[in-house]
Amino acid sequence: MTLPVWRDWLFSVKAFIAAMLALYIGLAFGLPRPYWAMTAVYVVANPISGATISKSVDRMLGTLLGATGAVVLVPMLVNAPELLVLAIATWAGVFLYIALHDRTPRNYVFLLAGYTLPLIALPNVDVPETIFDVAVARSEEIIVGIVVTAVVGTTLFPVSVGPILNARIAKWLNDASSWARDILLARTAEPFTPLSRQQLAADISPLTALITQLAHDAGTRDVKRYAEELRGRLLFLLPILSSIADRLHALRLEVGEFPPEIQALTERIAAWIKTSFDPADGHVADQLRSSLRNMETPFREQDLWPRLIRLSLAARLGELIDLWQDCLTLQHQISLGGTSHTWRPMLRHRPIAGRGQHYDRGLMLFTLTSTILATFAAGLLWIWSGWSGGANAVAFVAIACCFFGSADRPAPFMRTMLIWSCIAYAVTGVYFFAILPRINDFELLVLVLAPPFLLVGALIPRPELSLITLLLATNFAGDLGLQGRYSADFSSYLEGGIAIAAGVLFALIWTLVTRPFGVEFAARRLIRAGWKDLAELASGSRLPDHATLTNRMLDRLGQLVPRLASDEASTLSVIDGLAELRTGYNVLALQRNRRALANQVRQPIDAMLDGVGAYFRQCAVKGERGSAPDALLHDIDQALQAVLQSERGQLRQTSLDALVGVRRALFPLAAGPIGGKPESCRGGARHPTSDAAE
C-alpha cells in the first residue's frame, strides 16, 4: 500500500476542520449529544464535493425518516415490547429491501432510515415520553454535521467530479480500444469473449455512480445529458465488439485466412481507433464507411455462408465506426463542460439508453426476512434477559444486517466490523480515561484529537480501506461521547463495549448459520435468470424494446462478472454473457419480423424460435449450459433457406442477419451451411438498416 498523497491529506484536513466545527457548534448551542454532529461529518465526507453534498442530502432525509418512525412507533407500542421489537425489525428489513432496488448512491436514504430508527428507539424505550425530544435532537445534530461538511467541502479547495469522470471515461475507452484493436488485428479473433474483457461491463457501474453526482456539482450540471448518452453507447459497444470478434472467427473458420481487403480495412479501423482525433473532423470515419460499402464481391453458390458473414461483419464494423465517433465526440463535450449544444449522433438507428435492470427478488426477499428475524431474535433475547445495555446490542444487529445485507457473503464484512469496532472502542478507552480528564479547553481538545482523525482521514479515499476507515472514524467519534461536561464511568464504558461486540457477533453468527452459500450461488442465479429471459424472449411471452433488453442483460452481466472474477476456478467462469446478449438481440429482431413475413417463411422461423426457447429452458432447469442440440442447428438452417427464398427487401435482410447471429452464438464452431442461390443474398445490407446480427 502506498502512502497517502497530498490530496489525501488535504481531504483529511478538510474533514477534521468540519468535524471540529460541527462539534463546536453543537457544544455552543447546548445540543444534548454534539458528538453525533461530529460523527455525521465522517459519514458523509467525500473527496468529491458533489458527492459530499449528495450524501449529505441523503443522510438528512434518511435521518428524518428514521426519526419520524421512532416518534410514531415507540409511544404506540411501548406497552407491548415484543411487538415493538418486531415493528422495529420489520422497519429495518423493509427499508433494506427498498434500498436494494437502487444500486446508486441514492439508496443511502433508505439504508439510513432502516437503521436510524433502532438507534433512536431502542435505547429510549424505558422513557417513551422523551422519544420526540431525542428524535429532534438527533436530527438537529446530524443536520449540523452535514451542513458544516457541505459548506467546508464546497468552499475550501473544492474538488469537482468532472476531472475524475473524465479520467474514468478515458480509462474505459482505452481498455475498449485495446480490445477493439486486438480483435481487428486478428490477434484474438475467437468466438468467446474472455472474462477479462467482459469486466468492462462491470466497470460501467462506477461511471454510473459518478454520473449521478453531476447534478450536485455546479461545474458539471450541463454535461449530465452527454454523460448519460455516453454511458448508453459504452454499454452498446461491448456486444458490437463481441460480434465483430465472432464474425472474424467465422471467416477464418470458413476460408482459412482473412481476405486481403478485409485485413487491410480492419487494420485501418484499428489505426483510426488507436489515434485520437478531432471530433469535428470526421473525414477519416467517412472514408472508412465508404470502404465498407465496397466489401461485397461475387460469390459462388457454395460460398453463400461466407458472403452472409461478410455482410454481417460489414454492418457491425459500420456500427463500430459510428459508436466510436460518438463516444469520442461525447467525451470531448464532457471535457469542455457541455458548452456546445450542436452534437448530432452518428448512430441513430438504434435505441441506446435503456432503463431495464435485473433484480434478484428471491435473494432480496431472503435478505429482508433474515434481517427481520435476526433483529427480532436479538430483541427477544434482550427483553427476556433484562440486560439494561442490550438495547445497543440489538441496534448494532440491525446496523450490521442493513450495511452488509446486499453482499453475497456478509460474514467477512461483519467480522471486519467486529474487529475494527473493538479496536476503535479500545482507543476510545485510552482517550476517555487517560487523556480527556486532563483537557480543560476546546483548543487543547482539538490538538489531542488531531493525530488519530487526521491519520484515518488520509486513508478514507482508499477504496480498499473504506470500510475500515469508516468504522474507525465513526466509532471513535461516537464512542468518545464528547459533551459539554466530562463524565467517565468505567462500568458504563465496559457495558457499552460489550453491547457493540455482542450485537455484531450475534449478526455474524446468525449470518454464518443462515447464509452458508456465497458468490457462486448468486452467480448461478444470475446466469439462470438470463437463460429464463432468453427462453421467454424466444417464446414471445416477453418482448422488451431493444434498449431495455440491452440495459437489463448488460446490468446482469455487470453483476455477474465481478463474481466470476473472484472465483476464476469456478466452472461458471467460461460463461460468455455477451454471446447470450447477442442471442437476445437476434431473437428479438426475429420476433418482430415474423409477423410481416409470408406464412411459408414464418413457420420455419417459429420452429427455430421454439427450439431456442426449449434449449434455454432446459439450461435453466439443469443449471448448466450444455451444447445446443443438432436438431436446433438444422432448424436454423431451414429458416435461413426459407428466408433466402423470400422476397428481397429490408425485412428479408434483417431476418437473415438475425439468423446468422443466432447460429453463430449457439454454434460458434460449426461449419457454415452449403446451398442456396448466391444472387438471392446480393443487394447489400447497409448497417443503418440492420437491426440484428449481433
Side-chain angles (χ1 to χ4, degrees), residues 161-171 210 331 334-336:
V161 68
I164 298 173
L165 178 64
N166 288 332
R168 289 283 180 88
I169 292 171
K171 183 181 184 307
L210 287 175
Q331 181 190 25
I334 292 170
S335 66
L336 293 177

Short mmCIF file of all heavy atoms in Angstrom, two decimals, residues 161-171 210 331 334-336:
data_model
loop_
_atom_site.label_atom_id
_atom_site.label_comp_id
_atom_site.label_asym_id
_atom_site.label_seq_id
_atom_site.Cartn_x
_atom_site.Cartn_y
_atom_site.Cartn_z
N VAL A 161 -16.26 16.74 -9.64
CA VAL A 161 -16.35 15.37 -10.14
C VAL A 161 -15.91 15.29 -11.60
O VAL A 161 -15.59 14.21 -12.09
CB VAL A 161 -17.80 14.84 -9.98
CG1 VAL A 161 -18.75 15.56 -10.92
CG2 VAL A 161 -17.88 13.34 -10.21
N GLY A 162 -15.87 16.45 -12.28
CA GLY A 162 -15.55 16.46 -13.70
C GLY A 162 -14.24 15.78 -14.06
O GLY A 162 -14.22 14.86 -14.89
N PRO A 163 -13.09 16.20 -13.49
CA PRO A 163 -11.83 15.55 -13.85
C PRO A 163 -11.80 14.05 -13.54
O PRO A 163 -11.20 13.27 -14.28
CB PRO A 163 -10.80 16.31 -12.99
CG PRO A 163 -11.44 17.63 -12.71
CD PRO A 163 -12.90 17.35 -12.60
N ILE A 164 -12.45 13.67 -12.45
CA ILE A 164 -12.48 12.25 -12.09
C ILE A 164 -13.31 11.47 -13.11
O ILE A 164 -12.92 10.37 -13.55
CB ILE A 164 -13.05 12.08 -10.67
CG1 ILE A 164 -12.14 12.79 -9.66
CG2 ILE A 164 -13.19 10.61 -10.31
CD1 ILE A 164 -12.70 12.84 -8.27
N LEU A 165 -14.47 12.04 -13.50
CA LEU A 165 -15.28 11.39 -14.52
C LEU A 165 -14.52 11.29 -15.84
O LEU A 165 -14.55 10.24 -16.50
CB LEU A 165 -16.58 12.17 -14.71
CG LEU A 165 -17.54 11.66 -15.78
CD1 LEU A 165 -18.06 10.27 -15.41
CD2 LEU A 165 -18.70 12.61 -15.99
N ASN A 166 -13.83 12.36 -16.22
CA ASN A 166 -13.05 12.34 -17.46
C ASN A 166 -11.98 11.25 -17.43
O ASN A 166 -11.75 10.55 -18.43
CB ASN A 166 -12.41 13.70 -17.71
CG ASN A 166 -13.42 14.75 -18.11
OD1 ASN A 166 -14.44 14.44 -18.69
ND2 ASN A 166 -13.14 16.01 -17.78
N ALA A 167 -11.33 11.11 -16.27
CA ALA A 167 -10.29 10.09 -16.15
C ALA A 167 -10.87 8.68 -16.26
O ALA A 167 -10.29 7.80 -16.90
CB ALA A 167 -9.55 10.26 -14.82
N ARG A 168 -12.04 8.47 -15.62
CA ARG A 168 -12.69 7.16 -15.70
C ARG A 168 -13.11 6.83 -17.13
O ARG A 168 -12.96 5.70 -17.60
CB ARG A 168 -13.90 7.12 -14.77
CG ARG A 168 -13.57 7.10 -13.29
CD ARG A 168 -13.11 5.72 -12.86
NE ARG A 168 -12.78 5.69 -11.45
CZ ARG A 168 -13.66 5.44 -10.48
NH1 ARG A 168 -14.93 5.21 -10.79
NH2 ARG A 168 -13.29 5.41 -9.22
N ILE A 169 -13.68 7.83 -17.81
CA ILE A 169 -14.10 7.61 -19.19
C ILE A 169 -12.90 7.29 -20.07
O ILE A 169 -12.93 6.37 -20.90
CB ILE A 169 -14.84 8.86 -19.72
CG1 ILE A 169 -16.18 9.03 -19.01
CG2 ILE A 169 -15.05 8.76 -21.23
CD1 ILE A 169 -16.88 10.34 -19.32
N ALA A 170 -11.82 8.05 -19.88
CA ALA A 170 -10.61 7.83 -20.69
C ALA A 170 -10.06 6.43 -20.46
O ALA A 170 -9.65 5.74 -21.42
CB ALA A 170 -9.56 8.88 -20.35
N LYS A 171 -10.06 5.98 -19.23
CA LYS A 171 -9.55 4.63 -18.93
C LYS A 171 -10.44 3.57 -19.57
O LYS A 171 -9.95 2.60 -20.15
CB LYS A 171 -9.46 4.41 -17.42
CG LYS A 171 -8.88 3.05 -17.04
CD LYS A 171 -8.84 2.86 -15.55
CE LYS A 171 -8.17 1.53 -15.17
NZ LYS A 171 -8.79 0.37 -15.86
N LEU A 210 -20.74 7.98 -10.66
CA LEU A 210 -20.23 9.34 -10.84
C LEU A 210 -21.23 10.22 -11.58
O LEU A 210 -21.38 11.40 -11.27
CB LEU A 210 -18.90 9.30 -11.60
CG LEU A 210 -17.68 8.79 -10.84
CD1 LEU A 210 -16.48 8.70 -11.77
CD2 LEU A 210 -17.35 9.71 -9.66
N GLN A 331 -17.14 12.36 -25.26
CA GLN A 331 -16.05 12.57 -24.31
C GLN A 331 -15.50 13.99 -24.43
O GLN A 331 -15.22 14.65 -23.41
CB GLN A 331 -14.93 11.55 -24.57
CG GLN A 331 -13.75 11.68 -23.59
CD GLN A 331 -12.56 10.84 -24.03
OE1 GLN A 331 -12.39 10.54 -25.21
NE2 GLN A 331 -11.74 10.45 -23.07
N ILE A 334 -17.95 16.43 -22.83
CA ILE A 334 -17.88 16.36 -21.37
C ILE A 334 -16.64 17.09 -20.85
O ILE A 334 -16.69 17.81 -19.86
CB ILE A 334 -17.90 14.89 -20.90
CG1 ILE A 334 -19.26 14.26 -21.21
CG2 ILE A 334 -17.59 14.77 -19.41
CD1 ILE A 334 -19.31 12.77 -21.03
N SER A 335 -15.52 16.91 -21.54
CA SER A 335 -14.29 17.58 -21.11
C SER A 335 -14.39 19.09 -21.22
O SER A 335 -13.74 19.83 -20.47
CB SER A 335 -13.10 17.07 -21.92
OG SER A 335 -13.21 17.46 -23.28
N LEU A 336 -15.23 19.58 -22.17
CA LEU A 336 -15.44 21.02 -22.33
C LEU A 336 -16.49 21.57 -21.38
O LEU A 336 -16.76 22.78 -21.38
CB LEU A 336 -15.84 21.34 -23.77
CG LEU A 336 -14.79 21.09 -24.86
CD1 LEU A 336 -15.37 21.39 -26.23
CD2 LEU A 336 -13.53 21.91 -24.61
#
